[in-house]
Amino acid sequence: MTVRHHCARALRGLARRTSTWVALAAVMAPTIAATQGTATTEALRLASPDGRNEVTVLVREGGLYYAVSRKGRPIVTPSRLGFTFRGAPPLKDGLRITGSSNAAHDETWSQPWGEVARVRDHHNELKVSVEETQPPGRRFVVAFRAFNDGVGFRYELPAQDALRDFTIMEELTEFAMADDARAWWIPSFRFNRYEYLYRASPVSTLDTVHTPLTMETKDGTHVVIHEANLVDYASMNLRANKEQDRTLHAVLAPMADGSAVTARTPFHTPWRTIQLADRAADLVPSVLGLNLNPPNVITNTSYITPMKYNGIWWGMHLGTWSWESGAKHGATTANTKRYIDFAAANALGGTLVEGWNIGWDGNWIENGDKFSFTQPYPDYDLQGVAAYAKSKRVALIGHNETGMGVANYERQLDSAFALYQSLGITAVKTGYVGDKTRAGDAHHSQLMVRHFRKVVETAAKYGITIDAHEPIKDTGERRTYPNMMTREGARGQEYNAWGGEGGNPPEHETILFFTRLLSGPMDYTPGIFDIFLTSAGKPRTPEQPRPRTTLAKQLALYVVLYSPLQMAADLPENYEGKAPFQFIRDVAVDWDTTRVLTGKIGDYVVVARKAKGKDEWFVGGITDEEGRTFDLPLNFLGAGKRYVAEVYADGPGAHWRDNPLPVAIARRPVSATTTLRMVLAPGGGQAIRIRAQR
Ligand code: NOJ
Ligand code: CA
């Protein structure tokens, strides 16, 4: 859309409104100068291309505020912006707006892999220049972008004598929610790795929580606060005001000395994003965060391949194998070859091997500096295994657990990745168990954000993709570095082997879809068929940790929980001879398009995705502890074409608690005019492959 169109639309919207604090000039001219005193001034305004989302910016009593509304209803009421610094006065008072500029942008770009192949970046931009009226007279810009799926803004600090080297103690950004929306949240600053069960409560009750923070307002609007392009800055958490109002405050993850960010101008912060949708199902697929990241910098993306993989992994979580050396050591040459054979025979692209390297003996969470990332244990023939994998055309996936010993890892990065490259290893899973660095920097501090970027950049140099566990949260960096493929960053399937509260409750994944997964792909490690975990010894009761799902739901997770690297997590022997395993062999891992057919946070979700470059669709539906039935029009299929659906449904009497295993497999002809009845058992799911008939 051109600037002129944008202005015309903005003017139409303006005529509808009664508010007097909108500066007409701001929307009429691409650049205007607004003179402001220290009293309340006129506001600047920005609308999304569809006119629904609006941002207003104003100075009130010397403070800078922004507000966001959707379809004329306030979502975020005027909220403060600013910073406090070490050794310098806060940047928040005595401000005036010295100028502003508008721009419009409409471009469609392609990504090498994703939930959608093509992404439209359609937004209007408002840049507001601000200055302190009193010494030190510092200047900054706040850039706002309004998209149809939400808004983003960031601070830009130009180079200037009054602001050169600086240390941010606090970012004063507020999100004053217009209503006491229901929020689905996980706490932050406790066990600092995002690995919690979600809870739902009104915004006013929140302590410090992680983003993305998904909220539903009283009128059903869905609002998600997160950030984009988190680079060389501390992760943002959100804290509700102690006075129990509805204002969320940015809280930056601290370094050991209590500071948040040390940098030098010119500088800009990550984008603060507010995703907006009229209903939960419209939150996905979200491209807001991707659009706020710089374009891909990797020219040769040939090594970046979405795939399914198995791994020497679940056995350790069950306790039958160990990462450590000794009688139970999992990563032996013979075991690995068996896994590679299984992958080769079953259309899995890769095999992950954990515990292959020296350093796991002793307390590996506390002794992160003991890990070697090049030296294998004596019973693991690294060279031989790599050659074997190559001969079977299976990608060997390396594993680097750091135990938060990031300095030790950084020292070895180049030599380790060079070794992997020479062996044909093009994917590495990293791990960061531990809440802080040795020195006491928070898991999500600026130091760790820098570290993660360094790993991704070094990996790109050696043609390696990354799957990070205990990561920094996803803020869309895969657009710039598509070798950053997937991450855990939530309470994953591993908790079903050993986690508290009996594992993940049946509703867990129906919440993850609308919260954690909004930030990007998740390596949830689906596909556990031995649901009673008999391979760990005797069958587990529903009260003991075990997957609280039906087997059909484990299949559906491959479609619902998007990841370009998707694990077949169970032991090979638990798949042998099992008919439902065919779905895992068949399911795609890269998509042209994604559609949420229906969904309610914490209750259920049904997703359809079209396999990249094929007339083939996969549908996944999951429910919480309640059984549910949906009638699904297949109107997304090609008009007038014939398809066949292969349905993997919960079998008769299936129930997550005591009868999770029955799967009813059926084939039936379908077309775009078919309405498919999907019946889900309590804690159940359904997975469907739909192929075009020739
Ligand atoms: C926790 C990770 O989530 C898991 O996948 C891994 O096996 C262990 N750490 C060991 O690195
Ligand atoms: Ca984990």
Side-chain angles (χ1 to χ4, degrees):
M1 187 186 280
T2 63
V3 173
R4 232 186 58 226
H5 278 127
H6 158 59
C7 289
R9 192 189 284 268
L11 275 173
R12 279 202 301 278
L14 196 66
R16 286 198 302 268
R17 273 214 321 276
T18 51
S19 169
T20 51
W21 52 308
V22 173
L24 193 58
V27 292
M28 288 185 69
T31 307
I32 61 131
T35 41
Q36 325 282 333
T38 50
T40 304
T41 58
E42 292 176 321
L44 302 175
R45 179 178 159 274
L46 172 74
S48 58
D50 67 4
R52 289 187 183 158
N53 302 328
E54 293 184 342
V55 180
T56 44
V57 187
L58 76 157
V59 170
R60 204 164 60 187
E61 290 166 0
L64 182 67
Y65 293 79
Y66 78 98
V68 176
S69 65
R70 180 168 170 83
K71 297 199 271 190
R73 290 205 199 135
I75 300 288
V76 178
T77 59
S79 299
R80 194 85 187 240
L81 298 166
F83 297 98
T84 66
F85 298 102
R86 172 183 283 157
L91 186 56
K92 70 180 179 63
D93 296 313
L95 301 175
R96 67 182 187 118
I97 294 174
T98 56
S100 68
S101 63
N102 286 77
H105 188 88
D106 191 359
E107 171 206 4
T108 298
W109 53 277
S110 300
Q111 40 185 5
W113 50 266
E115 313 91 309
V116 295
R118 308 261 299 151
V119 179
R120 186 172 179 195
D121 176 359
H122 189 195
H123 70 260
N124 294 324
E125 184 181 79
L126 167 69
K127 285 195 167 200
V128 182
S129 302
V130 185
E131 186 179 84
E132 284 177 307
T133 52
Q134 303 293 323
R138 291 164 296 186
R139 292 176 285 114
F140 66 101
V141 171
V142 188
F144 293 89
R145 288 190 186 167
F147 301 81
N148 294 344
D149 58 346
V151 305
F153 63 91
R154 73 176 184 191
Y155 301 85
E156 299 175 354
L157 308 175
Q160 55 198 291
D161 288 345
L163 188 60
R164 202 170 283 277
D165 295 293
F166 62 90
T167 296
I168 297 172
M169 298 304 286
E170 279 178 294
E171 183 184 313
L172 302 176
T173 307
E174 294 174 350
F175 304 85
M177 298 303 296
D179 90 38
D180 203 4
R182 184 163 196 234
W184 283 264
W185 55 272
I186 51 171
S188 104
F189 295 130
R190 274 198 236 153
F191 168 63
N192 221 336
R193 286 146 40 185
Y194 312 105
E195 298 179 359
Y196 299 98
L197 296 177
Y198 279 82
R199 288 171 50 192
S201 63
V203 166
S204 59
T205 66
L206 302 188
D207 197 332
T208 314
V209 300
H210 280 294
T211 74
L213 178 68
T214 303
M215 293 167 278
E216 182 181 357
T217 67
K218 303 252 153 48
D219 71 356
T221 305
H222 282 69
V223 185
V224 185
I225 300 179
H226 189 44
E227 55 185 317
N229 194 27
L230 171 59
V231 182
D232 202 9
Y233 201 82
S235 304
M236 180 182 73
N237 303 274
L238 298 170
R239 176 175 49 78
N241 215 336
K242 294 270 183 315
E243 290 93 53
Q244 294 273 302
D245 68 7
R246 301 182 296 267
T247 300
L248 295 164
H249 299 258
V251 179
L252 300 181
M255 299 287 292
D257 66 359
S259 67
V261 176
T262 296
R264 160 180 287 197
T265 56
F267 184 79
H268 61 75
T269 67
W271 294 91
R272 278 66 189 90
T273 59
I274 304 170
Q275 199 194 329
L276 297 164
D278 295 336
R279 44 182 206 133
D282 293 342
L283 288 171
V284 178
S286 162
V287 290
L288 178 66
L290 289 176
N291 278 330
L292 290 169
N293 272 268
N296 178 11
V297 294
I298 300 180
T299 37
N300 172 18
T301 55
S302 60
Y303 67 93
I304 306 175
T305 17
M307 63 177 161
K308 288 166 281 185
Y309 70 99
N310 64 353
I312 300 191
W313 179 76
W314 190 235
M316 276 88 102
H317 291 274
L318 295 177
T320 49
W321 286 348
S322 67
W323 287 273
E324 296 87 346
S325 60
K328 282 169 51 173
H329 188 218
T332 63
T333 302
N335 259 348
T336 310
K337 287 189 173 168
R338 185 164 68 90
Y339 270 69
I340 292 169
D341 288 342
F342 185 82
N346 291 287
L348 305 178
T351 295
L352 162 76
V353 189
E354 295 202 4
W356 65 273
N357 56 315
I358 304 277
W360 292 91
D361 298 288
N363 186 338
W364 43 271
I365 298 185
E366 275 162 27
N367 302 332
D369 49 356
K370 302 279 190 307
F371 282 110
S372 162
F373 301 104
T374 50
Q375 274 178 279
Y377 277 122
D379 54 353
Y380 185 71
D381 171 12
L382 176 60
Q383 261 75 14
V385 164
Y388 189 74
K390 205 182 246 172
S391 76
K392 296 279 177 169
R393 295 173 184 273
V394 169
L396 190 62
I397 304 176
H399 182 241
N400 294 168
E401 173 57 62
T402 65
M404 283 294 281
V406 291
N408 174 50
Y409 191 33
E410 288 191 14
R411 275 193 297 275
Q412 299 183 51
L413 264 186
D414 274 287
S415 54
F417 287 180
L419 170 68
Y420 306 159
Q421 187 178 41
S422 75
L423 294 170
I425 295 172
T426 57
V428 170
K429 172 181 167 185
T430 57
Y432 294 86
V433 291
D435 296 342
K436 290 182 165 140
T437 64
R438 263 274 174 84
D441 312 292
H443 192 287
H444 312 308
S445 61
Q446 181 186 23
L447 179 131
M448 290 299 290
V449 170
R450 276 189 184 150
H451 169 77
F452 272 87
R453 179 48 67 102
K454 183 172 184 154
V455 171
V456 170
E457 283 178 8
T458 312
K461 207 163 95 191
Y462 294 99
I464 287 171
T465 63
I466 299 291
D467 169 359
H469 279 223
E470 301 80 41
I472 296 291
K473 64 186 164 184
D474 198 331
T475 63
E477 70 208 279
R478 63 187 153 126
R479 179 174 183 193
T480 315
Y481 283 98
N483 66 320
M484 179 59 242
M485 294 190 84
T486 190
R487 63 189 93 199
E488 182 196 42
R491 195 170 143 124
Q493 178 100 271
E494 61 184 11
Y495 279 76
N496 292 332
W498 43 257
E501 293 142 303
N504 300 332
E507 67 168 9
H508 185 56
E509 298 91 349
T510 71
I511 303 174
L512 280 181
F513 181 83
F514 294 106
T515 52
R516 159 66 185 81
L517 272 287
L518 294 177
S519 67
M522 175 172 179
D523 186 27
Y524 186 74
T525 66
I528 299 304
F529 277 24
D530 174 24
I531 295 203
F532 293 109
L533 302 192
T534 44
S535 29
K538 59 178 178 55
R540 295 202 183 162
T541 67
E543 286 66 42
Q544 290 176 308
R546 65 164 170 86
R548 291 151 134 194
T549 75
T550 63
L551 201 156
K553 184 174 181 178
Q554 288 289 313
L555 300 180
L557 293 178
Y558 286 84
V559 186
V560 173
L561 298 182
Y562 170 63
S563 180
L565 302 176
Q566 204 61 292
M567 190 174 200
D570 211 338
L571 311 175
E573 52 270 37
N574 292 332
Y575 292 135
E576 295 288 9
K578 302 271 166 53
F581 186 59
Q582 188 59 42
F583 183 81
I584 299 182
R585 288 195 191 103
D586 294 337
V587 68
V589 281
D590 195 13
W591 312 101
D592 275 331
T593 50
T594 287
R595 298 209 192 166
V596 180
L597 304 184
T598 182
K600 194 159 183 307
I601 308 179
D603 293 345
Y604 58 87
V605 59
V606 184
V607 190
R609 302 191 197 262
K610 180 180 173 296
K612 182 85 149 275
K614 289 184 180 172
D615 196 356
E616 182 171 353
W617 288 78
F618 290 85
V619 180
I622 60 170
T623 179
D624 61 1
E625 66 291 337
E626 264 182 50
R628 295 175 202 273
T629 300
F630 300 107
D631 287 314
L632 306 168
L634 302 183
N635 52 16
F636 48 84
L637 298 176
K641 286 194 177 173
R642 292 187 306 129
Y643 293 81
V644 63
E646 295 158 12
V647 181
Y648 298 76
D650 287 320
H655 193 297
W656 73 269
R657 178 173 276 276
D658 47 22
N659 193 25
L661 301 180
V663 179
I665 305 176
R667 284 166 149 259
R668 54 170 292 195
V670 293
S671 72
T673 58
T674 306
T675 295
L676 204 80
R677 172 151 288 201
M678 175 182 272
V679 181
L680 307 178
Q686 189 170 124
I688 311 172
R689 178 193 194 193
I690 304 178
R691 275 187 297 160
Q693 292 292 86
R694 263 178 265 269

